[in-house]
Amino acid sequence: MAVRSKAFILLHAAWHALRLVPRAWRHGYQDAKVIWEQDGELSYYRLSAVWQRVVVRGALVLTGVGVVSLVISGWHSWQVVQEREALAEAHVQIQQALAQALPEVPVTTTEGVNTQLVLDLTARIQERDWLIQTLIQSTSTQLAADNATMDAQLRRLGIDQRMREAIVAGTPRGGAVGPHDAWLRDKLPPALLQSMVRNGELRQVLRALPMHYPLRQARVTSDFGMREHPITRRVQMHAGTDWVSDAPDDRVFAVRAGVVSAVGKHPQYGLMVTVTHDSGVVSRYAHLRRISVARGDRVGVQTPLGLLGSTGMSTGKHLHLEIFIAGKPVDPERVLRMAQHVQQVKID
């Protein structure tokens, strides 16, 4: 209360002083004489109205200049205080940022954040940033080389972009590949992020390929592609490969785990089993002597689908194997061989 009363008194006095300024400025001054006695003699000094006006107005001007100077000085002082507070807050922020960026550096108080420490830590951060950029560049180069190799492998198998997209979309996690952390996605360069996503998709496609042979000691007797049909003698597309077994075991196995989507007898394929795999790949096994599974059964690579036979349009006991990706047939032998090679080099 005492502070507020003093402030009120000062403001009140200042207000009255300001009210007196116009009156003093416009006052009508007259010539005057100042008389005084010295050693028994009277002396006087004449004060002209002009001189009085000059002195009073000059004093008012000087007083005004002094007041303005005090106001400006106070304003600058307030700004200095604000800047010091902002600097102190910046020191706190620097301390927190350094504690997060370099947790191994013991910075526990704002007093510890001096100029030399900031310069040293800045140099360490720049060195770390250079190492990260070097790692990113090296990773980008390696990813580009890996992507080119995997892309060439898939092209040799005849797996085009539409088939790749179908495999990625058919995976259990819905085709989501690449970095899942939002912070990481924001920090990575767009080119590197794109290469990582592409690398993940290519690896996903290669991992989805069937890799297990359908017979024990299997051997191909008729390749995939155009050929003369052994019965009709017409040249037509052979959409699969024919296999025989050099082992006494006639059991036929799935080339990859999946679900039996169809079983039955076909005029051309005879007894036939179709398996749909998790990745959207479909495999078909024809000319069986006997079927050992039913539609809807979940089968693995060790589950017998049936026995090797010669039903349908066949010239002898063998297995006709077809593999479809996105509804398009691919060469089963090349796919199985490539998938086994990929697993051996551990693309994971």
Side-chain angles (χ1 to χ4, degrees):
M1 294 292 294
V3 175
R4 295 181 59 182
S5 299
K6 291 181 179 179
F8 177 78
I9 292 173
L10 290 175
L11 290 175
H12 187 71
W15 169 249
H16 281 287
L18 289 175
R19 292 180 60 186
L20 292 175
V21 170
R23 295 175 57 186
W25 188 270
R26 296 192 302 267
H27 182 71
Y29 295 96
Q30 298 179 357
D31 293 341
K33 292 182 180 179
V34 178
I35 303 174
W36 70 91
E37 182 182 357
Q38 184 177 6
D39 298 331
E41 295 183 0
L42 294 177
S43 301
Y44 70 93
Y45 181 79
R46 183 174 176 274
L47 294 176
S48 66
V50 174
W51 177 247
Q52 295 178 48
R53 187 177 300 110
V54 169
V55 171
V56 171
R57 290 184 177 181
L60 291 176
V61 170
L62 292 177
T63 303
V65 171
V67 171
V68 171
S69 299
L70 287 176
V71 171
I72 294 176
S73 177
W75 172 256
H76 282 297
S77 299
W78 181 81
Q79 284 188 324
V80 170
V81 171
Q82 294 297 316
E83 290 176 358
R84 287 182 177 178
E85 292 179 355
L87 183 61
E89 183 178 356
H91 280 176
V92 174
Q93 294 177 353
I94 291 174
Q95 173 194 352
Q96 295 174 348
L98 292 175
Q100 294 177 358
L102 298 172
E104 67 274 12
V105 178
V107 180
T108 57
T109 63
T110 56
E111 288 77 7
V113 186
N114 52 50
T115 303
Q116 186 59 43
L117 178 59
V118 171
L119 292 176
D120 293 342
L121 293 177
T122 301
R124 296 181 63 176
I125 292 174
Q126 289 176 343
E127 180 181 2
R128 181 173 295 184
D129 182 68
W130 177 81
L131 291 174
I132 292 174
Q133 293 298 327
T134 303
L135 178 61
I136 288 176
Q137 183 62 35
S138 175
T139 302
S140 300
T141 304
Q142 184 62 44
L143 278 176
D146 290 346
N147 291 348
T149 299
M150 290 187 289
D151 182 71
Q153 291 173 339
L154 293 174
R155 288 181 183 276
R156 285 197 296 269
L157 295 178
I159 300 178
D160 57 25
Q161 185 61 33
R162 184 177 66 87
M163 299 163 72
R164 300 177 194 182
E165 292 174 356
I167 290 178
V168 172
T171 54
R173 59 178 182 174
V177 295
H180 299 283
D181 187 271
W183 182 90
L184 183 61
R185 289 198 302 268
D186 293 338
K187 299 300 180 184
L188 289 177
L192 177 58
L193 182 61
Q194 184 177 2
S195 294
M196 292 176 68
V197 172
R198 177 171 170 78
N199 187 270
E201 291 177 347
L202 292 171
R203 289 174 181 270
Q204 198 168 325
V205 172
L206 289 172
R207 282 194 297 264
L209 298 179
M211 62 169 293
H212 295 276
Y213 285 100
L215 300 171
R216 309 297 187 193
Q217 300 183 22
R219 175 167 52 88
V220 175
T221 59
S222 183
D223 294 326
F224 177 90
M226 300 300 296
R227 69 162 190 177
E228 183 183 278
H229 195 280
I231 296 178
T232 64
R233 298 301 176 185
R234 291 188 301 179
V235 176
Q236 62 186 54
M237 178 65 181
H238 188 223
T241 51
D242 293 340
W243 304 74
V244 297
S245 175
D246 292 332
D249 189 353
D250 284 346
R251 291 179 299 173
V252 176
F253 301 93
V255 294
R256 184 180 175 88
V259 177
V260 177
S261 54
V263 296
K265 188 173 183 179
H266 188 274
Q268 180 179 351
Y269 291 150
L271 294 179
M272 178 182 68
V273 174
T274 302
V275 178
T276 300
H277 306 285
D278 293 338
S279 57
V281 179
V282 176
S283 57
R284 179 178 295 162
Y285 312 81
H287 305 308
L288 302 177
R289 182 170 82 245
R290 188 175 69 194
I291 295 176
S292 305
V293 293
R295 184 182 180 193
D297 287 352
R298 182 80 186 179
V299 297
V301 295
Q302 299 296 328
T303 305
L305 302 178
L307 297 178
L308 201 63
S310 186
T311 58
M313 295 183 65
S314 172
T315 59
K317 186 171 72 171
H318 73 284
L319 170 69
H320 176 77
L321 172 66
E322 295 179 350
I323 294 178
F324 298 88
I325 301 177
K328 183 178 178 180
V330 294
D331 188 338
E333 182 189 15
R334 297 183 67 178
V335 168
L336 296 177
R337 188 167 62 246
M338 177 64 71
Q340 288 196 345
H341 170 72
V342 167
Q343 293 298 327
Q344 288 173 1
V345 298
K346 298 180 180 179
I347 66 169
D348 294 331

